Amino acid sequence: MSETLKRLAAVIESRKLANGGDPDKSYVARLFAKGDDAILKKIGEEATETVMAAKDARVSGDKSKVLYECADLWFHSMVMLAQFDLTPQDVLDELARREGLSGIEEKASRQ
Ligand SMILES: N=c1c2ncn([C@@H]3O[C@H](COP(=O)(O)OP(=O)(O)OP(=O)(O)O)[C@@H](O)[C@H]3O)c2ncn1[C@@H]1O[C@H](COP(=O)(O)O)[C@@H](O)[C@H]1O
């Protein structure tokens, strides 16, 4: 896993209230204190903002907002993973499991 993701996952974990996270000082601890609905709402917002940034980038040619919004989306997804005691490595493991398996073949195998 990338060292950046590993460090960020560790910081997020440290912000859990059970690990001493303080909602008065930490944005992540505040999200954990608010619970599932607040975390999931942020993911919905950031996903929508990512889509809008990508649509805008097609018109303006400026891709910087796509990166910015996608980073927000990844970050909040990492908070959600931690909320469920999952890690970015778990997601990478799932992607590795799918490696080489065509999405078209996988879909056909479900029918
Ligand atoms: N990567 C991030 C990160 N990306 C985005 N954000 C915050 O996520 C929020 C994004 O919400 P919006 O863009 O919708 O802005 P907003 O309107 O201010 O947000 P809301 O009031 O609606 O929640 C902002 O408050 C951003 O500052 C982040 N906050 C923290 N991190 C990382 O998490 C670490 C721990 O943060 P704290 O727990 O705050 O110490 C930090 O050191 C960073 O590495």
Side-chain angles (χ1 to χ4, degrees), residues 7-8 11-12 14-15 22 25-31 34 41-42 45-46 49 68-69 71-73 75-76 79:
R7 279 196 304 274
L8 179 55
V11 170
I12 289 171
S14 76
R15 299 302 200 250
D22 181 351
K25 294 186 187 143
S26 153
Y27 174 76
V28 177
R30 196 169 295 178
L31 273 181
K34 288 180 182 168
K41 184 165 171 267
K42 286 308 294 181
E45 285 173 19
E46 302 303 349
E49 284 168 17
Y68 186 91
E69 297 300 346
D72 275 356
L73 179 59
F75 164 69
H76 286 92
V79 175

Side-chain angles (χ1 to χ4, degrees), residues 13 17 38 48 51 63 66 71 77-78 83 86 89 92 103 111:
E13 194 62 30
L17 307 192
T48 302
V51 170
K63 297 187 235 178
V66 178
S77 297
M78 287 178 68
Q83 174 80 344
L86 294 167
Q89 187 61 54
L92 293 177
Q111 288 156 358

